[in-house]
Amino acid sequence: MIGNKDWWKPEPAWPKQETNAKTVVVTAAKLIDGNGGPVVSDPVIVIKGDRIHAVGSKGTVQVPPDAQVVDAAGCTLMPGMMDCHIHTAMFNCMTFHNHRVAQWEVTPQLQQMYSLFHAQNCFDMGFTTLRDLGMNSSRGLFTQELCAVRDSINAGILEGPRMLIGGFTTITGSHLDLIQPRAMPRSGFNNGDGPYELRKLARTNLLWGCDVIKTCASGGGGTDKEEPDIVNMTQEELDAIVSEAHAFHKAAAVHCFTTNAQRMAIKAGADTIEHMVFSDDESIGMIKDAGIPVTPTLAHRTDHAIQLRRELGTAEFVLSKLKKLQPHCYTTFQKMYKAGIKIAMGTDMGFEPHFGTNSWELEVYVGLGMTPMHAIQTATKKRGRGDQAGARPRNYRSRQVRGHCRGQRRPARGHPHTAGKKTYPHGHEGRQGLC
């Protein structure tokens, strides 16, 4: 929490409601409200203009006689889901089959288009809010490009989900810096060192329009024997970043693999802790007492995700570290869930057609002991915006553009960059897409 403010971005101003707005009624077989309540049979949702007016079971909700009825027979209705830790601009999501090639071959302008495409695919899968925690490349930070994707959706130019954009604010040689090759030339103001440089970097990201300041207090790999004490910045530097975010009423998300990093994030006043890897009873108790939500991001450390990374050219030493981290992630999730720590659903991925859907993350939670209904709550929990009566439908802006779903896009698997998987010499897979 930032003072008395919710860390979720406030809802923007909306056009004035028309008094003669059209009424639409949606009926279906069942409804899940996302608040942990019982499944509703024969639900009826009344939408007047751009607001949900009433929700209930058949017979308990008055249906206006002039309403347009949409019968979703046999379907289950539920609120839109959220992915609270995603990277839609991640290289190799849809464009290349070798991420090292992508880092050099894909321009920021093209990657921006793919970021939008990935966000739209998530939207089609029922993820109506994405918290995109940033990206960088050989051309510098990607904050401005991601903010432009968000703004184009907000303006109704293009359809897509609500997006909150994170701006990388890290030290030289940090985990988020080393996402790119060590020997790669760095262009632009990518990193800072010392509290005042990091304040300026945070302010630069905020000037560009980011909603969240993303930083990392620990590394992103290794085992409990290799990396228990590694930190990615001093406490003074982390304090400066978080306070700068809060000065502008923005949230600070802190990447934390280790218990030391978790303690640093709590002391700094972080709004969210990203990832669940190592833990001890003391750090779990501190997170619980502080009330800070933790985003687990477990899906991309599963065996399936590790194998996909192998196919994409990830170095074996990195894959072996991911495999060693897997049991720690799972154990920490179970401990934190049992302790009652707030959990936010996030995948730490861009849109990956091989995974099929971001909701696979929820399947991992349920497999580790979270009840299915609580998993749905985790993915749909309202933080300052909602689909209760009086709220605007989550795809309100997009529906304005496409005329209440009259437009249809081709499925992701039919996209030319994902159809053939033809390989080329020297790792230039998918290069034909740029010709």
Side-chain angles (χ1 to χ4, degrees):
M1 304 294 288
I2 309 173
N4 292 324
K5 291 183 176 294
D6 200 303
W7 62 268
W8 208 256
K9 183 183 178 183
E11 188 164 353
W14 295 93
K16 185 177 179 181
Q17 174 71 30
E18 297 180 9
T19 55
N20 59 345
K22 181 179 180 180
T23 300
V24 177
V25 174
V26 182
T27 61
K30 297 182 182 299
L31 178 141
I32 299 171
D33 66 8
N35 289 319
V39 176
V40 178
S41 298
D42 298 320
V44 177
I45 300 177
V46 179
I47 303 171
K48 291 187 176 181
D50 56 23
R51 290 187 177 274
I52 295 176
H53 180 72
V55 180
S57 58
K58 186 178 180 180
T60 65
V61 176
Q62 184 176 0
V63 178
D66 59 341
Q68 175 190 349
V69 178
V70 178
D71 184 11
C75 296
T76 298
L77 307 177
M78 63 180 289
M81 293 182 286
M82 305 182 194
D83 192 326
C84 295
H85 189 133
I86 193 171
H87 300 281
T88 60
M90 186 181 291
F91 288 118
N92 198 54
C93 295
M94 303 286 279
T95 43
F96 281 80
H97 299 298
N98 185 302
H99 70 281
R100 293 287 180 174
V101 174
Q103 287 165 338
W104 301 104
E105 296 284 347
V106 180
T107 65
Q109 292 82 4
L110 178 60
Q111 195 63 12
Q112 182 183 39
M113 294 295 97
Y114 272 95
S115 174
L116 172 65
F117 181 47
H118 302 156
Q120 289 175 332
N121 276 296
C122 292
F123 185 50
D124 284 348
M125 294 187 296
F127 283 83
T128 56
T129 300
L130 303 179
R131 189 174 67 141
D132 190 314
L133 289 184
M135 187 49 61
N136 60 10
S137 72
S138 59
R139 279 85 165 184
L141 293 181
F142 210 73
T143 309
Q144 290 175 297
E145 289 83 355
L146 286 171
C147 287
V149 172
R150 175 204 62 199
D151 294 346
S152 69
I153 295 171
N154 288 349
I157 299 170
L158 298 161
E159 65 174 10
R162 294 186 179 99
M163 296 185 71
L164 291 94
I165 304 302
F168 280 5
T169 307
T170 60
I171 65 166
T172 302
S174 66
H175 164 65
L176 295 180
D177 186 17
L178 295 178
I179 288 175
Q180 309 304 332
R182 215 177 269 271
M184 181 188 77
R186 267 66 174 167
S187 61
F189 187 27
N190 288 350
N191 303 300
D193 295 293
Y196 289 102
E197 274 197 6
L198 289 165
R199 281 186 184 276
K200 183 172 183 178
L201 182 55
R203 290 171 180 175
T204 301
N205 279 316
L206 292 165
L207 172 66
W208 288 340
C210 75
D211 306 294
V212 183
I213 292 296
K214 166 70 182 300
T215 191
C216 53
S218 74
T223 67
D224 56 341
K225 293 182 179 179
E226 295 173 330
E227 199 189 86
D229 300 320
I230 293 178
V231 294
N232 270 216
M233 60 182 56
T234 65
Q235 185 69 54
E236 184 183 18
E237 289 173 322
L238 183 58
D239 291 348
I241 292 170
V242 174
S243 70
E244 202 62 46
H246 290 179
F248 287 86
H249 292 175
K250 302 295 184 180
V254 183
H255 165 116
C256 297
F257 268 44
T258 66
T259 54
N260 282 348
Q262 293 161 11
R263 294 184 181 97
M264 289 176 65
I266 295 167
K267 184 176 180 180
D271 299 288
T272 62
I273 290 175
E274 307 304 312
H275 315 298
M276 289 179 173
V277 185
F278 305 119
S279 65
D280 57 30
D281 292 342
E282 181 184 8
S283 64
I284 288 176
M286 291 173 68
I287 296 171
K288 168 66 175 175
D289 292 343
I292 300 175
V294 180
T295 314
T297 68
L298 301 181
H300 83 303
R301 295 184 182 88
T302 60
D303 290 339
H304 179 58
I306 291 172
Q307 177 57 33
L308 288 178
R309 288 183 178 221
R310 179 175 288 109
E311 294 173 5
L312 300 176
T314 303
E316 282 297 326
F317 83 91
V318 175
L319 298 176
S320 65
K321 287 184 176 182
L322 286 172
K323 183 66 176 177
K324 291 176 182 177
L325 289 175
Q326 190 183 85
H328 294 285
C329 299
Y330 293 172
T331 300
T332 295
F333 175 87
Q334 291 171 323
K335 288 181 178 179
M336 289 192 176
Y337 177 56
K338 184 177 180 180
I341 288 174
K342 297 176 183 178
I343 295 175
M345 204 289 280
T347 59
D348 200 19
M349 297 184 295
F351 178 73
E352 258 296 355
H354 307 82
F355 287 107
T357 172
N358 300 55
S359 59
W360 178 36
E361 176 85 10
L362 300 176
E363 184 178 338
V364 179
Y365 297 175
V366 173
L368 292 173
M370 181 181 279
T371 64
M373 191 58 71
H374 193 187
I376 294 173
Q377 271 188 281
T378 299
T380 62
K381 188 65 176 177
K382 293 179 281 293
R383 300 183 182 278
R385 351 175 61 137
D387 280 351
Q388 70 275 23
R392 299 181 185 276
R394 289 180 180 269
N395 57 349
Y396 162 68
R397 283 168 291 197
S398 297
R399 283 190 168 185
Q400 280 190 315
V401 176
R402 61 184 177 177
H404 285 271
C405 306
R406 284 195 296 270
Q408 296 293 326
R409 280 200 316 280
R410 57 190 170 188
R413 294 180 190 277
H415 191 272
H417 287 184
T418 63
K421 285 193 177 181
K422 183 177 180 180
T423 59
Y424 294 82
H426 309 298
H428 286 64
E429 296 91 336
R431 191 169 182 176
Q432 62 179 356
L434 296 178
C435 300

